[in-house]
Amino acid sequence: MQITTQAVQIGLEWDTRTGSVAIPIYQTATFRHPGLGQSTGFDYTRSGNPTRQALEDGIARLDGGVRGFAYATGMAAITGLLMLFKAGDHIVVTEDLYGGTCRLFNQVFNQFGLSFSYVDTTDLAAVEAAIRPETRALFVETLTNPLLKFADLPALAELSRRRGLLLIADNTFLTPYLMRPLELGADITVYSATKYLAGHNDTLGGLVVTNRPELAERIYFYQNSVGAVLAPQDSWLIIRGMKTLGVRLDRHQENALRIATWLEQHPRISKVHYPGLPQHPDHALMKRQARGFGAMIAFEVDKHALVEQVLLKTGLISFAESLGGVESLITFPEVQTHADIPAELRARLGINNVLLRLSVGIEDADDLIEDLRQALEG
């Protein structure tokens, strides 16, 4: 069954009593027991809720895993995964990643004895060189934020297996529609469901999937123990969004390629980062391993003064953080989404004072191009 069909069908089987096509919102904290020592399978919503369960089952099917888990936010999902490790453990991490993830690693979990090394995960030799005796995992973004680099996931999976590491793949930018990391050798996938999966900039959520039953048991233990679970209403909103994942991403990507191609030709743009462009260094690799190139674009304007002009003069494109919704959003990574990355690392990576990140929505591409044109030239 195609992933688009699977997405549309999420939750359809749940309400057999009434035949409701939409999964009900089970807005309850607790559930009645049918008898002493008996359970309906649901006892307390922190431990399990039918609306959340429908979402968790749905993302597991889309990702090809054995079990899914839904958390209050994407950061809560990553926090839940870090509970798998103990003081003294070391994790190798993609260097070009979301600033909030960097903050969580460096300013929260460092104080509990976890250590992290940041490397270019497109460089297999650099990844292997960063592995220590105490290394327990490799954490990669399948398409990095904000510079859109794409690593060879099967090669990283083979390295992880050989060195006895867990491979955790943050697949937020691509979603299961464009790439299924578990099929390429990852042990765990994690998503900010706030982004493309929910798709409407109206809710928060995080999702985790694994294809290993023993890992699923451990992840559930920590999910239930810590309790940063997704509420029923938000679970319902993400299910609703996921049903249109395929058609939305098709439009997102169509727009992104047109805009990236236009930006390349504009005299005020000095560099465009978009893997759908043939000259992108990871274009050929991504074409082999993914079903598409996503809808995020990073681009550099020719001088810093133009940054504020673009941010404030775009009308259709909102100056706002986040990404992946139907509305186009633009942000300035150096002082917003990536401010928590050390300045020297930002400078080395190219997260500089002329770099803008554009989340391309599903509006008409001609209208978005005109909005960018008048902002750049006005």
Side-chain angles (χ1 to χ4, degrees):
M1 187 185 297
Q2 296 297 311
I3 194 168
T4 47
T5 303
Q6 291 177 320
V8 171
Q9 295 288 310
I10 293 174
L12 197 63
E13 75 281 7
W14 269 86
D15 192 350
T16 56
R17 186 177 67 85
T18 69
S20 174
V21 172
I23 176 76
I25 301 171
Y26 290 87
Q27 193 63 54
T28 181
T30 192
F31 302 83
R32 287 192 301 175
H33 299 298
L36 186 62
Q38 300 177 28
S39 171
T40 62
F42 297 96
D43 302 306
Y44 186 60
T45 278
R46 171 170 49 78
S47 302
N49 177 282
T51 314
R52 191 173 84 235
Q53 186 70 54
L55 172 60
E56 293 175 330
D57 290 349
I59 190 60
R61 286 196 298 271
L62 296 190
D63 236 1
V66 298
R67 190 165 180 180
F69 305 88
Y71 296 82
T73 65
M75 299 314 302
I78 295 173
T79 297
L81 292 179
L82 292 178
M83 298 294 175
L84 297 170
F85 306 101
K86 65 182 186 304
D89 287 348
H90 171 254
I91 301 172
V92 177
V93 182
T94 297
E95 63 180 1
D96 167 26
L97 84 168
Y98 170 52
T101 306
C102 184
R103 178 178 60 228
L104 180 70
F105 291 168
N106 292 349
Q107 299 182 42
V108 179
F109 276 90
N110 260 351
Q111 66 183 329
F112 300 121
L114 296 186
S115 61
F116 305 87
S117 293
Y118 296 86
V119 301
D120 180 357
T121 47
T122 67
D123 183 344
L124 199 63
V127 174
E128 185 150 27
I131 297 172
R132 309 171 186 170
E134 66 271 24
T135 304
R136 299 291 176 263
L138 172 59
F139 183 101
V140 302
E141 289 185 347
T142 55
L143 191 59
T144 65
N145 182 1
L147 296 176
L148 305 170
K149 297 168 73 173
F150 183 80
D152 188 340
L153 205 61
L156 292 172
E158 192 281 328
L159 172 62
S160 297
R161 284 192 297 272
R162 178 160 47 85
R163 300 298 295 269
L165 310 180
L166 284 178
L167 177 55
I168 302 170
D170 184 333
N171 198 37
T172 296
F173 276 17
L174 295 178
T175 81
Y177 181 67
L178 298 180
M179 184 167 142
R180 288 160 53 114
L182 299 180
E183 292 182 347
L184 298 176
D187 300 294
I188 298 170
T189 51
V190 60
Y191 298 92
S192 173
T194 309
K195 312 304 193 296
Y196 289 104
L197 291 170
H200 291 79
N201 289 319
D202 59 5
T203 189
L204 300 176
L207 297 173
V208 165
V209 183
T210 183
N211 56 4
R212 292 173 50 180
E214 73 281 6
L215 266 180
E217 289 302 317
R218 293 178 63 200
I219 293 168
Y220 176 71
F221 173 80
Y222 290 116
Q223 182 198 38
N224 183 46
S225 299
V226 175
V229 295
L230 192 63
Q233 174 77 29
D234 299 292
S235 298
W236 186 89
L237 284 169
I238 294 173
I239 291 171
R240 184 188 66 174
M242 285 169 63
K243 287 174 180 285
T244 60
L245 177 64
V247 293
R248 283 188 288 107
L249 270 171
D250 286 345
R251 179 60 175 266
H252 281 296
Q253 291 190 105
E254 177 187 334
N255 283 355
L257 181 58
R258 286 194 58 196
I259 291 169
T261 302
W262 179 84
L263 284 168
E264 267 204 315
Q265 308 304 316
H266 197 283
R268 304 303 304 272
I269 305 301
S270 57
K271 185 180 290 186
V272 177
H273 303 267
Y274 180 63
L277 296 172
Q279 61 272 30
H280 187 282
D282 303 320
H283 175 83
L285 177 65
M286 194 169 180
K287 193 171 183 178
R288 292 196 301 270
Q289 294 185 10
R291 295 181 62 248
F293 299 100
M296 298 299 300
I297 300 172
F299 63 95
E300 296 182 17
V301 293
D302 61 5
K303 62 180 181 179
H304 177 62
L306 199 53
V307 167
E308 186 172 7
Q309 177 179 315
V310 171
L311 293 175
L312 298 183
K313 288 202 67 176
T314 49
L316 291 177
I317 302 170
S318 297
F319 173 28
E321 298 185 33
S322 199
L323 58 99
V326 293
E327 303 90 356
S328 294
L329 306 177
I330 193 166
T331 190
F332 183 31
E334 186 187 54
V335 299
Q336 292 178 289
T337 54
H338 291 71
D340 286 294
I341 292 179
E344 64 277 8
L345 178 57
R346 287 201 311 267
R348 180 170 63 80
L349 293 175
I351 304 173
N352 54 42
N353 70 352
V354 291
L355 181 77
L356 293 168
R357 190 192 72 182
L358 175 63
S359 172
V360 179
I362 66 169
E363 302 94 342
D364 185 276
D366 289 332
D367 291 333
L368 294 173
I369 289 171
E370 174 57 25
D371 196 33
L372 286 167
R373 186 204 61 74
Q374 62 83 29
L376 286 163
E377 299 172 8

